[in-house]
DNA sequence: AAGTGGTCTAGACCACATT
DNA sequence: ATGTGGTCTAGACCACTTT
């Protein structure tokens, strides 16, 4: 008696812990500040380290914390708004610094992509790798699949695979008149190569944006972009006043 | 000697486990099939249950598995495509069965929402709760915030709070001419109430879609919809041929 | 060398659904 | 009553960054 007896439906410890930490982050910590290490936090709250970590994991998933091995846990800034539903997402703004071409190869795309491209499974396509940066941080890694038929002006032999070829392909694509675009967003986890590009550990949560570009009723390219889910909020605008949600 | 010595960069066990399980799911299991329980799987792979669970967690995050307490782990069907960027997402299709009005109250919205609505913090707005169902499963829970000024035709006293009021508000909104819409998508975790509506445990990963509806340059409503991240792929279409990505 | 977060173990008990 | 996944513990060791 005398103890609070409200746990008729006992809340998991890590869940309660998360609430407490959220409040603390709102009131007592500034962005960028370093939290006490996990062992000390666990001791302070009287729980096992694994339990404390379960709470931290959720907070990182929600973009409130950033954890780096060997360094520590810091308070994350609010997520940045990233436009993905605009022409700006396309290759038409190759001049601005949002997307950085990395390299280009000729490969057979995954079966799922081949289906979207309406080509034979196993057929070769240009595969352009691009990376996107924001606030000095890597934001997204993209693979752009372009069937040779979509860039007839490109003479593959002119430029060797690599960044130069990537730029050439994007340049050619700018000559194609876009008909439409459809996109989808789903949750995924970063593969090893993506994780490295995004400066995260493998398995980190990512938002996978698949874009299908069409012209004259045909699919001319498919892009699969993986955005860091912890730091990004994807914005889709009508074109009028995107500032508010873009934060 | 004689053992495979390729772990110069030793892959974490749970990561390797995930790969093995993914392959097994692709080749040896059918959708809906029940996996062996966690204790047996852990024993079979020679790892602790916690390690096995780390792999299962990731697979569930990727939508490959579905775990239900007291029941077991089953192979999940491919994610369903859910249209969110269409007029179909709005109240203009109140006739079809996608969205189900639940109830309606008059509350002060969170500060963030008040900012988007361009109203005073603490001011009361109509708050309509809707739920969305697909394939016989709960898909999303939405809170729609509507300032009284946006529905001048509504006499609040006519209908008591509840489902009837919710329908009345949606009906009134259909009279407003929409100017534009902007949306954002980010990763979140389900609060207790949302989790219940989505038939998941608290903390389950969700895709939070925030929509700001405007008319004549002003914000007339803001919707915050939380979609089950494990079962849904959100689709944004141009209006032409959404079938492919919508899967 | 020291300190951090990441991985892993071998248990225990609890909440929930089914039988 | 049984069996399932969910929570929690108290350790240990590893990978990485910084000093």
């Amino acid at each position: 008696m005398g103890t609070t007896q409200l746990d008729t439906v006992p809340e998991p410890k890590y869940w309660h812990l998360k609430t407490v930490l959220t409040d603390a982050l709102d009131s007592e910590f500034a962005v960028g500040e370093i939290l006490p290490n996990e062992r000390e936090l666990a001791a302070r709250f009287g729980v096992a380290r694994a339990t404390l970590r379960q709470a931290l994991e959720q907070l990182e998933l929600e973009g409130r914390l950033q954890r780096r091995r060997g360094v520590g846990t810091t308070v994350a800034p609010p997520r940045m708004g990233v436009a993905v539903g605009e022409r700006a997402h396309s290759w038409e703004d190759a001049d601005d610094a949002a997307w950085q071409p990395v390299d280009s190869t000729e490969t057979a795309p995954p079966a799922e992509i081949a289906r979207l491209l309406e080509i034979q499974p196993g057929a070769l396509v240009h595969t352009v790798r691009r990376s996107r940066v924001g606030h000095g941080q890597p934001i997204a890694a993209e693979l752009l699949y372009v069937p040779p038929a979509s860039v007839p002006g490109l003479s593959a032999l002119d430029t060797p695979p690599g960044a130069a070829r990537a730029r050439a392909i994007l340049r050619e694509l700018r000559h194609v008149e876009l008909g439409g675009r459809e996109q989808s967003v789903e949750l995924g986890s970063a593969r090893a190569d993506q994780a490295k590009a995004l400066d995260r550990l493998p398995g980190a949560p990512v938002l996978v944006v698949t874009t299908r570009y069409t012209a004259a009723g045909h699919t001319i390219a498919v892009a699969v972009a993986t955005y860091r889910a912890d730091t990004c909020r994807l914005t889709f605008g009508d074109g009028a006043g995107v500032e508010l949600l873009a934060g």
Side-chain angles (χ1 to χ4, degrees), chain A:
Chain A
M1 303 172 181
T3 65
T4 42
Q5 191 65 10
L6 291 176
D7 38 1
T8 52
V9 176
E11 204 175 35
K13 278 190 185 177
Y14 78 92
W15 188 256
H16 179 244
L17 209 49
K18 191 189 122 181
T19 313
V20 173
L21 285 170
T22 300
D23 293 346
L25 289 179
D26 286 335
S27 61
E28 300 170 30
F29 286 89
V31 167
E33 199 167 342
I34 315 167
L35 265 62
N37 71 55
E38 298 183 350
R39 288 158 179 90
E40 178 173 340
L41 278 178
R44 187 178 300 185
F45 287 108
V47 299
R49 190 177 156 219
T51 304
L52 186 268
R53 276 180 62 80
Q54 208 171 342
L56 294 185
E57 244 152 61
Q58 285 234 2
L59 289 173
E60 191 177 30
L61 200 79
E62 294 175 22
R64 302 296 312 261
L65 292 179
Q66 179 148 14
R67 299 190 288 174
R68 273 175 304 172
R69 164 152 56 176
V71 180
T73 302
T74 57
V75 181
R79 287 191 176 129
M80 60 183 110
V82 179
V84 300
E86 307 288 309
R87 285 283 180 264
H89 173 55
S90 185
W91 40 76
E92 310 194 354
D93 66 336
D95 304 314
D96 93 335
W99 285 103
Q100 195 76 23
V102 175
D103 64 8
S104 168
T105 59
E106 217 165 354
T107 60
E112 177 70 10
I113 303 295
R115 189 180 64 81
L116 288 175
L117 286 171
E118 306 171 67
I119 62 173
Q120 296 297 325
L124 294 182
V125 301
H126 295 296
T127 304
V128 176
R129 188 149 44 199
R130 294 197 294 177
S131 70
R132 190 169 179 173
V133 177
H135 296 11
Q137 243 193 135
I139 282 180
E142 184 191 65
L143 280 180
L144 178 64
Y145 299 96
V146 184
S150 298
V151 285
L154 183 81
S155 41
L157 301 173
D158 282 1
T159 50
R165 169 90 70 88
R167 277 187 292 271
I169 293 171
L170 293 169
R171 204 181 314 123
E172 284 301 315
L173 278 175
R174 251 172 281 153
H175 298 157
V176 182
E177 190 169 345
L178 270 191
R181 171 198 349 231
E182 56 188 73
Q183 295 183 295
S184 79
V185 179
E186 62 186 315
L187 180 58
S189 52
R191 294 195 314 264
D193 56 333
Q194 298 167 341
K196 196 174 172 187
L198 297 177
D199 193 23
R200 300 259 59 197
L201 289 180
V206 291
L207 296 172
V208 181
V209 181
T210 305
T211 307
R212 176 168 159 263
Y213 299 95
T214 61
H218 287 296
T219 306
I220 59 165
V222 168
V224 179
T226 63
Y227 287 81
R228 282 184 58 155
D230 56 344
T231 57
C232 294
R233 186 174 68 253
L234 310 182
T235 67
F236 297 78
D238 254 1
V242 195
E243 337 58 61
L244 271 173
L245 278 181

